[in-house]
Amino acid sequence: MSKEAKPEEAKWYVVHTYSGHENKVKVNIEKIVENRGMQDVILEVKVPTEEKIEYKDGKKKVKETKLFPGYALVKMHMTDESWYLVRNTRGVTSFVGPSSKPIPLTDEEIMSMGVERPKVEVNVKVGETVKVTSGPFETFMGTIEHINVEKQTVRVLISMFGRDTPVELEFDQIEKI
């Protein structure tokens, strides 16, 4: 596939890495992409993690652990050049797929892994009143103070105990009144 025959949409691919090298692979791919100006071909590299709370010596510690040790996820347009670039990055052993033929993740896999979340559209503006529809502040009313489209969150001032308290909520947790 030549550079001109790019598929319509970039897809997520799974890359197998040396154990413990997931973050190094992420940094290495990002550097190569930046150096070669390939940001429109290789869009994003992720090493999915989750926070775990551990109690050690009576103290609470939040520890970040990798969800898939030995793997990194790459959102890219699959071309000969992009395949070669990722495949030959230090720390990468192969793409996941039969005989190293990369197979993209399905939308269902992406959602269940929490790699990407569906974009939620909200038709609200700063200063408007909204109702919280889910979470610990469900049924509360508040005024939108800030909207972060990139993170899909809003900061809402909710009146609690006679004071306005800023609360960060996701787009799908509010509805316009």
Side-chain angles (χ1 to χ4, degrees), residues 99-125:
S99 66
S100 288
K101 183 184 183 304
I103 301 220
L105 292 171
T106 64
D107 291 345
E108 293 78 27
E109 289 168 329
I110 292 164
M111 294 304 159
S112 70
M113 291 166 68
V115 177
E116 269 186 359
R117 296 167 70 204
K119 293 277 186 222
V120 177
E121 295 288 322
V122 288
N123 188 16
V124 293
K125 295 185 202 80

Side-chain angles (χ1 to χ4, degrees), residues 38-170:
M38 293 180 69
Q39 293 89 339
D40 60 334
V41 181
I42 299 175
L43 308 177
E44 197 175 346
V45 184
K46 281 189 176 182
V47 178
T49 58
E50 68 179 349
E51 289 182 349
K52 287 198 173 164
I53 297 170
E54 290 181 351
Y55 292 94
K56 206 172 194 178
D57 303 327
K59 291 189 177 124
K60 183 173 152 182
K61 275 182 72 180
V62 177
K63 186 179 177 190
E64 194 140 308
T65 59
K66 293 179 183 83
L67 282 174
F68 311 108
Y71 296 94
L73 304 173
V74 183
K75 186 173 189 173
M76 61 190 272
H77 294 283
M78 187 56 70
T79 65
D80 289 344
E81 185 183 11
S82 64
W83 178 90
Y84 183 84
L85 186 145
V86 173
R87 178 65 191 85
N88 291 294
T89 298
R90 187 179 313 161
V92 171
T93 58
S94 64
F95 276 97
V96 171
S99 66
S100 288
K101 183 184 183 304
I103 301 220
L105 292 171
T106 64
D107 291 345
E108 293 78 27
E109 289 168 329
I110 292 164
M111 294 304 159
S112 70
M113 291 166 68
V115 177
E116 269 186 359
R117 296 167 70 204
K119 293 277 186 222
V120 177
E121 295 288 322
V122 288
N123 188 16
V124 293
K125 295 185 202 80
V126 172
E128 287 186 330
T129 302
V130 292
K131 177 181 175 188
V132 182
T133 58
S134 67
F137 301 103
E138 189 173 351
T139 71
F140 278 78
M141 308 284 244
T143 307
I144 295 183
E145 183 182 57
H146 178 76
I147 301 171
N148 185 331
V149 178
E150 188 65 32
K151 282 175 58 185
Q152 298 255 305
T153 60
V154 290
R155 189 167 54 237
V156 178
L157 290 176
I158 293 177
S159 183
M160 275 192 284
F161 311 116
R163 311 169 74 170
D164 278 345
T165 305
V167 176
E168 183 138 324
L169 300 165
E170 295 178 6

